[in-house]
Amino acid sequence: MSTADRGNGGRTYDPDAQHAFPDERLNEVLAYVDRDEEIQTYLDAQNVNPVDRKGYNDHGRKHIGIVRNRALCLYDLLKAGGVEFNGARQQGLDEADEAVIIALAAELHDIGHVVHRDEHPYYSIPLAADVLDRILPEFYDLADCVRVKGEVLHAILCHHTEEQPLTREAGVVRVADALDMERGRSRIPYEKGGRGINTLSSQAIQTVTLREGDSYPVLVEIEMTDAAGVYQVDELLKSKLHDSLIENDIRIVAINVREGDDQLIERIEL
């Protein structure tokens, strides 16, 4: 039974749960990353430019934790649904490396914010490469270090909507980045002091859950308190899902859960 079916709505990866993929190597890497001083310092430092200097929302520990958890839960559901991944396989790596690639890319995808918010995915590449050169030899021989590193960097680059993922591992990271949208945490910034559609839509998202679908491997269910939230989903999540290589495996359903008012929308499939 997958993590996302154990009652947490695909919100948290549990290393002790049973998964639809070999998880021992992933769990060792996650334990290492969580105690690595350099990585943890980056998670704090990378928040300064987007939050303090540009007025965006969190791109540090909280965002990274959400994206990593949802990426792994999304991957688990896709694997349970029989979706085949190509990144690790085409490099001659093990199936166990698929989750490692996803987790490391999710962990390091926003590291480039320490340089600048604008075009940060391109700054993330050299910085993440240095970190990977240090930590991957703890788990892999030289040849596999090169291959895992390349796949992680590809996934980091392709979380940017301007770049097209060539692997499903990269697609998972790309979509998971967009799934951090609850309660105004969208990647579309607030309009300071305004009441525009960006502000209204980003405030409208109440919960995002991932679970096994009836006819798709993954059902993404988004509860909103205002129909304006549809704009948020349409502008952010759909653009990330497009050309992700997993768009045909995911169904998105948005539900208006607000009570007591006339409903502009009760349920819509996107």
Side-chain angles (χ1 to χ4, degrees):
M1 183 180 296
S2 73
T3 300
D5 286 333
R6 290 178 177 272
N8 64 30
R11 303 171 68 85
T12 306
Y13 170 77
D14 180 1
D16 295 323
Q18 293 183 353
H19 301 110
F21 60 91
D23 60 9
E24 182 176 356
R25 187 173 302 164
L26 168 67
N27 292 337
E28 291 175 356
V29 171
L30 291 180
Y32 186 97
V33 164
D34 286 342
R35 63 175 182 266
D36 186 83
E37 184 178 2
E38 182 183 19
I39 292 175
Q40 297 308 310
T41 302
Y42 266 121
L43 297 187
D44 292 331
Q46 71 191 39
N47 223 12
V48 174
N49 275 328
V51 175
D52 297 335
R53 296 170 180 166
K54 295 281 285 184
Y56 281 63
N57 54 345
D58 179 88
H59 283 72
R61 289 177 184 265
K62 187 170 185 178
H63 170 60
I64 295 302
I66 291 170
V67 174
R68 192 179 87 178
N69 274 299
R70 295 206 169 165
L72 291 173
C73 290
L74 176 57
Y75 170 70
D76 195 15
L77 284 167
L78 290 168
K79 291 289 285 188
V83 175
E84 295 186 2
F85 283 71
N86 63 309
R89 174 177 54 81
Q90 290 172 338
Q91 289 284 4
L93 296 165
D94 295 336
E95 181 186 6
D97 297 320
E98 296 171 356
V100 172
I101 291 165
I102 289 169
L104 288 175
E107 188 78 16
L108 299 172
H109 77 278
D110 273 345
I111 195 173
H113 276 99
V114 299
V115 180
H116 205 293
R117 159 65 190 176
D118 300 344
E119 304 297 328
H120 69 274
Y122 304 107
Y123 302 123
S124 292
I125 295 301
L127 295 174
D130 286 347
V131 173
L132 294 170
D133 283 342
R134 178 175 59 81
I135 68 175
L136 288 178
E138 299 289 331
F139 304 97
Y140 298 98
D141 62 22
L142 177 59
D144 285 351
C145 280
V146 171
R147 292 179 170 88
V148 172
K149 175 183 173 182
E151 293 303 309
V152 173
L153 294 179
H154 175 71
I156 289 173
L157 181 66
C158 293
H159 90 273
H160 188 34
T161 52
E162 300 301 317
E163 306 295 341
Q164 183 176 351
L166 303 178
T167 71
R168 288 183 177 85
E169 288 92 333
V172 165
V173 176
R174 178 186 180 96
V175 173
D177 186 43
L179 290 174
D180 179 14
M181 60 165 55
E182 293 175 351
R183 293 291 185 182
R185 289 194 45 75
S186 120
R187 303 280 67 82
I188 300 174
Y190 295 151
E191 297 176 27
K192 293 183 179 179
R195 300 294 295 172
I197 187 63
N198 286 347
T199 303
L200 293 173
S201 64
S202 60
Q203 298 257 8
I205 306 299
Q206 185 173 48
T207 59
V208 178
T209 59
L210 306 179
R211 57 174 57 93
E212 181 182 353
D214 294 331
S215 55
Y216 292 79
V218 181
L219 171 65
V220 177
E221 190 170 83
I222 300 168
E223 294 185 352
M224 59 186 68
T225 56
D226 191 289
V230 173
Y231 174 85
Q232 186 70 37
V233 177
D234 202 45
E235 287 294 302
L236 175 67
L237 182 54
K238 283 186 69 176
S239 65
K240 292 272 190 169
L241 190 59
H242 179 67
D243 283 341
S244 65
L245 299 182
I246 56 174
E247 60 265 36
N248 293 328
D249 302 308
I250 298 176
R251 177 186 176 202
I252 304 171
V253 176
I255 302 172
N256 193 332
V257 297
R258 185 172 181 174
E259 298 179 356
D261 294 318
D262 291 336
Q263 304 258 350
L264 295 177
I265 183 173
E266 294 185 359
R267 181 184 179 96
I268 186 172
E269 296 186 20
L270 301 172

